[in-house]
Amino acid sequence: MPADDTDKNAAPPLPEPLRVPVADSHTHLDMQSGTVEEALAKAASVGVTTVVQVGCDLKGSRWAAETAAAYDAVHATVALHPNEAPRIVHGDPDGWSRQGARQPGGDAALDEALAEIDRLAALPQVKGVGETGLDHFRTGEDGKEAQERSFRAHIEIAKRHGKTLVIHDRDAHADVLRVLKEEGAPERTVFHCYSGDAEMAEICAAAGYYMSFAGNVTFKNAQNLRDALAVAPLELVLVETDAPFLTPVPYRGRPNAPYLVPVTVRAMAAVRGVDEDTLATALGANTARAFGY
Ligand SMILES: [Zn+2]
Ligand SMILES: [Zn+2]
């Protein structure tokens, strides 16, 4: 049966191109269907000319570094995801792939994995360390200690290499802000898939943290995100897909990819009360500044 707009598994149609190019500040090409070439060509055809490919485990981080070395339009970040660190310590066989990590886990396995992240972070095409942070939604009490230890180690790695820190914060706002303060945040820190409210946006603004908005800013129940976007300083706002997740309305539930960034950009422009060219100009410059490319 041919795919059409009513097919829930079909890729959404190409949006109208942006006139001013932007970057997808956070994507997972390795979790999307199709080749890297196809994804980049499709994105570029609608004005999304740069992507930041984010690693979540050792295999994904190595892949991100290799892909960024091969394509000018791709920059990499490397990390053990906040939900990956406890899996390594616990030697969970159902965890994400982690070739190179010693089984059956323990603190030594986490240290070994962090040492590999450290090596990858030194590469010139690797612009950031992340996604790291805290996730109190998927990781329970038994994984909290490993998660926080891993987060602190990633902050240290980012600072030592002068790379951007990419934060994953799920249901953990206060603890993420606390650890950043205790460790001292790197010069450039990005809250990916920003999920705080307007009050937290003020705190991030005061600290100079970038806030990257994903497709969920378009969701009906996400007024708190739109309120945050409305008060965030324009020079600290980024856009991302976090694809294949968080597809923006009206394609919610269908596969997400970098070429859908214009849908989110237009929704964000409406929230800010600015025209899309003005917003796109800011987003393009902000992402380049945030990741130092
Ligand atoms: Zn995340
Ligand atoms: Zn992500």
Side-chain angles (χ1 to χ4, degrees):
M1 206 173 78
D4 61 39
D5 273 5
T6 59
D7 183 343
K8 281 291 174 198
N9 297 314
L14 275 174
E16 200 186 308
L18 294 168
R19 287 176 296 268
V20 178
V22 300
D24 180 349
S25 83
H26 186 116
T27 196
H28 302 283
L29 294 172
D30 50 336
M31 302 180 196
Q32 297 162 35
S33 63
T35 66
V36 171
E37 284 86 352
E38 286 162 357
L40 295 177
K42 219 169 159 183
S45 77
V46 294
V48 182
T49 52
T50 306
V51 305
V52 179
Q53 169 64 27
V54 175
C56 292
D57 59 12
L58 287 182
K59 187 177 171 228
S61 294
R62 287 185 198 115
W63 190 86
E66 283 162 19
T67 306
Y71 299 92
D72 287 344
V74 181
H75 301 291
T77 73
V78 296
L80 309 173
H81 191 281
N83 295 323
E84 172 70 358
R87 286 183 196 130
I88 292 173
V89 171
H90 296 153
D92 178 359
D94 296 326
W96 295 344
S97 58
R98 46 171 188 281
Q99 284 88 331
R102 200 168 61 196
Q103 298 295 341
D107 285 343
L110 180 55
D111 286 340
E112 200 175 305
L114 287 166
E116 172 72 6
I117 294 299
D118 192 352
R119 279 190 288 276
L120 291 169
L123 297 169
Q125 75 274 26
V126 174
K127 302 298 182 191
V129 173
E131 53 185 293
T132 181
L134 301 173
D135 188 322
H136 293 343
F137 181 78
R138 294 225 181 270
T139 292
E141 279 301 325
D142 63 334
K144 262 188 173 174
E145 198 187 318
Q147 192 173 79
E148 189 168 315
R149 182 160 86 81
S150 176
F151 182 25
R152 289 181 192 274
H154 282 83
I155 296 171
E156 189 276 324
I157 291 168
K159 286 201 288 193
R160 186 155 36 79
H161 292 287
K163 303 290 166 102
T164 303
L165 186 70
V166 177
I167 302 277
H168 168 104
D169 159 24
R170 188 152 185 201
D171 294 353
H173 307 322
D175 284 336
V176 166
L177 291 169
R178 170 181 57 80
V179 173
L180 280 175
K181 204 168 180 180
E182 286 169 5
E183 293 293 323
E187 202 179 310
R188 298 178 306 277
T189 297
V190 175
F191 274 73
H192 117 77
C193 189
Y194 180 82
S195 60
D197 57 11
E199 198 183 328
M200 180 168 156
E202 308 274 10
I203 296 170
C204 290
Y209 301 153
Y210 290 90
M211 290 162 265
S212 181
F213 289 84
N216 54 342
V217 75
T218 68
F219 294 179
K220 201 174 176 180
N221 63 357
Q223 190 55 46
N224 61 322
L225 297 184
R226 288 185 286 277
D227 293 345
L229 173 59
V231 301
L234 185 58
E235 67 272 17
L236 293 179
V237 173
L238 308 182
V239 66
E240 66 170 76
T241 56
D242 200 17
F245 314 109
L246 299 172
T247 315
V249 169
Y251 308 115
R252 193 174 174 177
R254 290 165 64 174
N256 200 5
Y259 76 90
L260 290 171
V261 160
V263 178
T264 303
V265 169
R266 288 184 180 118
M268 290 169 68
V271 169
R272 302 273 317 189
V274 296
D275 67 89
E276 77 178 55
D277 291 359
T278 303
L279 181 62
T281 302
L283 293 169
N286 294 349
T287 315
R289 191 177 351 100
F291 287 95
Y293 62 76

